[in-house]
Amino acid sequence: MTFVLPRTAGLSSMLADIHRAALSDMAGRPERVAVAIQAHLHDPDLLAGISCPSCPNSYIRHLLHADPDGSYAVVALIWRPGQMSPVHAHRTWCALGVYRGVLSEAFYDLPGGNVTPRQTGVVLRGHGSTSCGPADPGAIHRLANLSGEEAISFHVYGARFDRFGQDVNHVF
């Protein structure tokens, strides 16, 4: 099933660039998708006319594009101040870009075979920055909006949108 939203020229262009990168060779795919996203993060009209409301209880995903073959999906995440993802790793490749605001990306490891992750570092990701990674149960992280303003980020996952719950995050 294909999901179609009204699109600005900029959003159509970004989705076309993501499509080319998301269907390229697996080696380096997350990096190429991040580059495709980054090229469009400074377009102030990217989401013009598209409703992406926030949610008071947690960050929320808005589907922007689902690949008809189910190879990937593109979502906009809306983060109110203080909202954060769970600590998780990915079961599929992923790439993200910060469109508005600042997100912190905390990194974790599992020392000595523990089942409780321990934070090892944090990077602030401001407007225009990207991050990406392969499917890797050891690449554990958490995204959070610790600022006082709403943030928006674009995420691309190598999974069908209706399978995000099963195929994207391994939550700790």
Side-chain angles (χ1 to χ4, degrees):
M1 176 179 190
T2 303
F3 188 76
V4 179
L5 283 173
R7 294 184 180 158
T8 64
L11 182 57
S12 292
S13 178
M14 181 179 82
L15 293 174
D17 289 349
I18 289 170
H19 181 75
R20 282 188 291 280
L23 297 182
S24 65
D25 292 336
M26 184 55 79
R29 181 181 294 169
E31 293 82 2
R32 286 189 297 279
V33 172
V35 168
I37 296 169
Q38 188 172 43
H40 300 274
L41 292 174
H42 294 287
D43 179 348
D45 297 321
L46 210 54
L47 293 176
I50 299 172
S51 178
C52 291
S54 63
C55 177
N57 302 325
S58 70
Y59 71 92
I60 186 168
R61 294 178 179 129
H62 294 282
L63 179 64
L64 298 177
H65 177 74
D67 177 57
D69 294 329
S71 299
Y72 69 93
V74 182
V75 292
L77 274 66
I78 314 301
W79 309 80
R80 284 186 174 185
Q83 293 180 339
M84 61 187 70
S85 72
V87 175
H88 64 281
H90 290 280
R91 294 184 173 112
T92 183
W93 63 267
C94 62
L96 72 91
V98 179
Y99 182 60
R100 183 188 308 157
V102 177
L103 295 176
S104 68
E105 184 174 15
F107 298 95
Y108 298 80
D109 68 5
L110 292 172
N114 287 344
V115 294
T116 303
R118 177 188 68 179
Q119 187 172 336
T120 59
V122 65
V123 173
L124 291 179
R125 305 227 181 257
H127 174 237
S129 66
T130 62
S131 183
C132 63
D136 182 351
I140 306 166
H141 73 149
R142 166 187 271 171
L143 293 168
N145 179 3
L146 302 179
S147 77
E149 298 178 12
E150 186 175 90
I152 299 175
S153 54
F154 297 119
H155 298 243
V156 183
Y157 300 104
R160 287 186 1 215
F161 182 70
D162 64 345
R163 302 262 325 150
F164 272 21
Q166 300 91 336
D167 295 349
V168 174
N169 291 342
H170 171 79
V171 177
F172 289 87

